[in-house]
């Protein structure tokens, strides 16, 4: 029986050839040097920030080279699949503000000429490619069951032989085609294995864009390519898909590095051009015991993209932060170019670090900086979008008085060094609630009185202040002069310096007076610029708040 006859028996439904697919998915018509990259996650759970580093770089490279970025869903391991897995992935990419040209746009939506982009929809293609290997004697059906494989493994362990299905241990490799056909017709389950021609004693050397020159023994394992349920394994699907989708650059976790010899062998068997490989270190975190470890999909829910989005980290901050992990020279570039857009930074493989660490404190700093640079009206729009999703009540308050909201967000913003109070949108209400009547009127108030804490003295100073010293028209200098006069009147030094020179002559100094006014209108002893706060509140509201005491 010829290989061709065996292949026809194994794949009675395959009508196309691999040449048909070559024509269906031709070389892409792109400028010289354009990168075609893909994000190829498995829909197996939450998407955390560690998963997104490769996606971020895969998005960046085609931008730099006028290439194509697409999303492929690798759902060949159906046991590990979770409900809404695809939705989680698409949402996470959107939450990071990343876009892609082709691929899976939603659970039921795919876009592009190189699909289907979900592996479970590609069975006909995999069958055609597997059939080709059988026809050409480069793969064979294997009937070994789990017990037989286990027995081989035991034997290898006992004799200290290398573990695996190769050479003399590859039992089904030399069965003749008549016998194979007989067993198939009998209905025996089988996998399809690569008939490896590699030599373990020879080295294979390849260039990884991140790791540099890498060398491994050639593959000599007759790897399973198609499982007994007809579903391909990762290695096979990777080669077929990345070839047909015309991927030029394969970025993935370094846990795949040692599989490259298998992939190279498969690419060579088909006569396909190899893509460029870039294996990225897995992002680690330092846990509460100070131990460095991988981010866990199960335990570390605080690291999911969704969790950062819920807290309201702006997408620019998340991207900016990922770039600091992606390229070690980015922070220096950013320092030299504080106002340039991230798009202007050129990513380079040579600057990828080997052991990336997720540092939340750094993300917070970056995010504070990003938010401080937003124009108040842009911050308002971003905050509104966030609140619409995560804090409806605040959303309503913000919509009700847009001018007030923007004025509040603008406090200490239009200056050389804007304030950096907010790391994320969810911080904003905590820092500004007292500026909104809806909250000031309803919240349980705890006044943070400080040095001046006698309520009679407090009321005396405040009433005098609002009746005789405060005018909405005053500019900042006039306002401050009046604060000095008020301080003097009640026995407080006009400046800290004056107070320090002769502390016995005063009850305190001007900051004590300012604190009384500050606490009366905000309940807080520490706030941004008091002059701006008072100006936004206006005389009537200040008076109302004083009278509440
Ligand atoms: N589906 C693989 C994973 O989740 C992707 C590896 C790749 O990008 O090729 O690890």
């Amino acid at each position: 029986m010829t290989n061709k006859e065996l292949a026809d028996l194994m794949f009675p439904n395959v009508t196309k050839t691999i040449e048909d697919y070559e024509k269906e998915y031709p070389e892409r018509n792109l400028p010289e040097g354009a990168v075609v990259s893909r994000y190829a996650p498995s829909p197996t759970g939450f998407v955390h920030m560690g998963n997104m580093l490769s996606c971020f770089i895969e998005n960046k490279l085609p931008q730099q080279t006028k290439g194509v970025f697409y999303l492929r869903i690798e759902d060949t391991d159906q046991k590990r699949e979770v409900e809404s897995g695809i939705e989680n992935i698409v949402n996470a990419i959107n939450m990071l503000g990343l876009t892609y040209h082709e691929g899976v746009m939603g659970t039921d939506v795919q876009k592009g000429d190189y699909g289907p982009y979900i592996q479970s929809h590609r069975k006909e293609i995999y069958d055609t490619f597997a059939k080709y290997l059988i026809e050409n004697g480069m793969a064979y059906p294997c009937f070994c069951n789990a017990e037989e494989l286990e027995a081989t493994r035991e034997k290898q362990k006992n004799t200290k032989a290398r573990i695996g299905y190769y050479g003399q241990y590859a039992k089904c490799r030399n069965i003749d085609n008549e016998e194979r056909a007989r067993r198939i017709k009998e209905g025996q389950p089988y996998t399809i294995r690569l008939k490896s021609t590699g030599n373990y004693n020879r080295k294979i050397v390849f260039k990884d864009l991140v790791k540099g020159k890498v060398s491994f023994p050639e593959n000599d394992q007759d790897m399973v390519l198609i499982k007994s349920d007809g579903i391909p394994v990762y290695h096979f699907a990777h080669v077929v898909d990345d070839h047909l989708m015309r991927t030029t650059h394969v970025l993935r976790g370094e846990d795949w590095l040692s599989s490259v010899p298998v992939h190279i062998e498969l690419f060579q068997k088909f006569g396909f051009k190899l893509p460029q490989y870039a294996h990225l270190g897995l992002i680690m975190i330092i846990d509460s015991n100070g131990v460095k470890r991988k981010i866990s999909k199960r335990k570390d829910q605080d690291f999911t993209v969704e969790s950062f989005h819920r807290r309201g980290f702006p997408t620019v901050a998340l991207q900016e932060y990922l770039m600091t992990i992606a390229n070690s020279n980015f922070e220096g570039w950013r320092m030299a170019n504080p106002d340039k857009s991230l798009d202007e930074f050129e990513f380079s493989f040579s600057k990828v670090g080997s052991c990336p660490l997720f540092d939340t404190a750094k993300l917070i700093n970056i995010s504070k900086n990003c938010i401080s640079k937003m124009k108040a009206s842009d911050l308002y729009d971003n905050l509104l979008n966030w609140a619409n999703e995560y804090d409806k009540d605040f959303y309503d308050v913000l919509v009700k008085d847009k001018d007030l909201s923007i004025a509040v967000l603008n406090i200490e913003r239009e200056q050389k060094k804007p304030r950096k109070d907010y790391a994320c949108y969810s911080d904003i209400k905590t820092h500004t609630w007292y500026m909104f009547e809806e909250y000031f009127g309803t919240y349980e108030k705890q006044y943070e009185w400080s040095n001046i804490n006698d309520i009679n003295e407090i009321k005396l100073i405040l009433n005098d202040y609002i009746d005789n010293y405060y005018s909405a028209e005053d500019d900042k200098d006039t306002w401050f002069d009046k604060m000095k006069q008020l301080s003097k009147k009640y026995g407080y030094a006009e400046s800290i310096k004056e107070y320090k020179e002769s502390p016995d002559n005063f009850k305190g100094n001007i900051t004590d007076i300012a604190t009384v006014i500050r606490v009366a209108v905000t309940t807080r002893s520490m706030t941004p610029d008091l002059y701006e706060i008072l100006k936004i509140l206006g005389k009537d509201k200040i008076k109302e708040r004083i009278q509440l005491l």
Side-chain angles (χ1 to χ4, degrees), residues 110-255:
Q110 298 188 39
K111 182 181 145 194
D113 295 336
Y114 288 80
Y117 297 88
I118 300 182
Q119 288 185 331
S120 58
H121 299 188
R122 298 174 64 79
K123 180 162 169 43
E124 196 190 311
I125 300 176
Y126 301 130
D127 282 353
T128 307
F129 280 70
K131 185 180 180 196
Y132 171 87
L133 292 181
I134 297 279
E135 268 172 6
N136 290 282
M138 294 189 274
Y140 60 88
C142 166
F143 303 92
C144 291
N145 59 29
E147 289 83 57
E148 286 169 287
L149 293 174
E150 185 50 39
T152 306
R153 204 169 303 130
E154 269 308 300
K155 190 167 152 203
Q156 289 170 334
K157 265 202 234 154
N158 295 338
T159 56
K160 299 209 169 20
R162 199 154 46 84
I163 305 287
Y165 202 87
Y166 61 94
Q168 54 165 310
Y169 303 104
K171 280 203 219 149
C172 292
R173 189 181 170 119
N174 298 319
I175 299 178
D176 65 34
N177 282 350
E178 277 68 28
E179 173 71 1
R180 286 173 175 149
R182 187 188 64 72
R183 290 196 185 188
I184 289 169
K185 284 185 195 147
E186 223 172 60
Q188 282 192 28
Y190 64 89
T191 59
I192 296 177
R193 285 187 186 269
L194 166 70
K195 191 168 179 181
S196 175
T197 46
N199 178 344
Y200 190 76
N201 296 317
R202 269 200 314 250
K203 288 262 184 276
I204 190 166
V205 180
F206 62 93
K207 188 173 159 266
D208 184 272
L209 292 169
V210 173
K211 306 281 176 196
K213 213 163 132 190
V214 184
S215 149
F216 279 107
E218 281 184 9
N219 174 61
D220 67 346
Q221 302 273 339
D222 286 0
M223 305 292 285
V224 171
L225 303 178
I226 308 271
K227 292 176 278 185
S228 57
D229 55 7
I231 294 177
V233 300
Y234 171 79
H235 309 300
F236 187 63
H238 152 52
V239 172
V240 172
D241 292 351
D242 282 314
H243 172 69
L244 288 183
M245 296 181 187
R246 308 293 171 180
T247 310
T248 63
H249 287 61
V250 170
L251 273 74
R252 59 188 178 190
E254 65 187 2
D255 41 343

Side-chain angles (χ1 to χ4, degrees), residues 359-375:
D359 178 351
T360 308
K362 194 180 218 173
L363 166 62
I364 287 176
N365 266 334
I366 287 177
S367 192
K368 281 185 173 172
N369 202 32
C370 288
I371 295 182
S372 80
K373 283 186 173 168
M374 290 177 191
K375 281 208 330 242

Side-chain angles (χ1 to χ4, degrees), residues 53 56-57 321-328 347-348 351-353:
L53 179 64
F56 176 68
I57 302 173
Y321 177 63
L322 283 174
M323 194 52 101
T324 67
I325 307 184
N327 261 183
S328 55
F347 168 84
S348 100
K351 298 284 194 258
V352 175

Side-chain angles (χ1 to χ4, degrees), residues 21 27 54 76 87 106 125 133 135 158 167 217 220 224 230 237 261 274 302-303 354 404 441-442 452 486 503 546:
Y21 287 111
E27 287 285 351
S54 72
T76 53
E87 214 176 307
I125 300 176
L133 292 181
E135 268 172 6
N158 295 338
D220 67 346
V224 171
L274 273 181
D302 285 355
F303 288 91
S354 55
L404 168 71
T442 54
I452 306 177
L486 184 71
I546 289 172

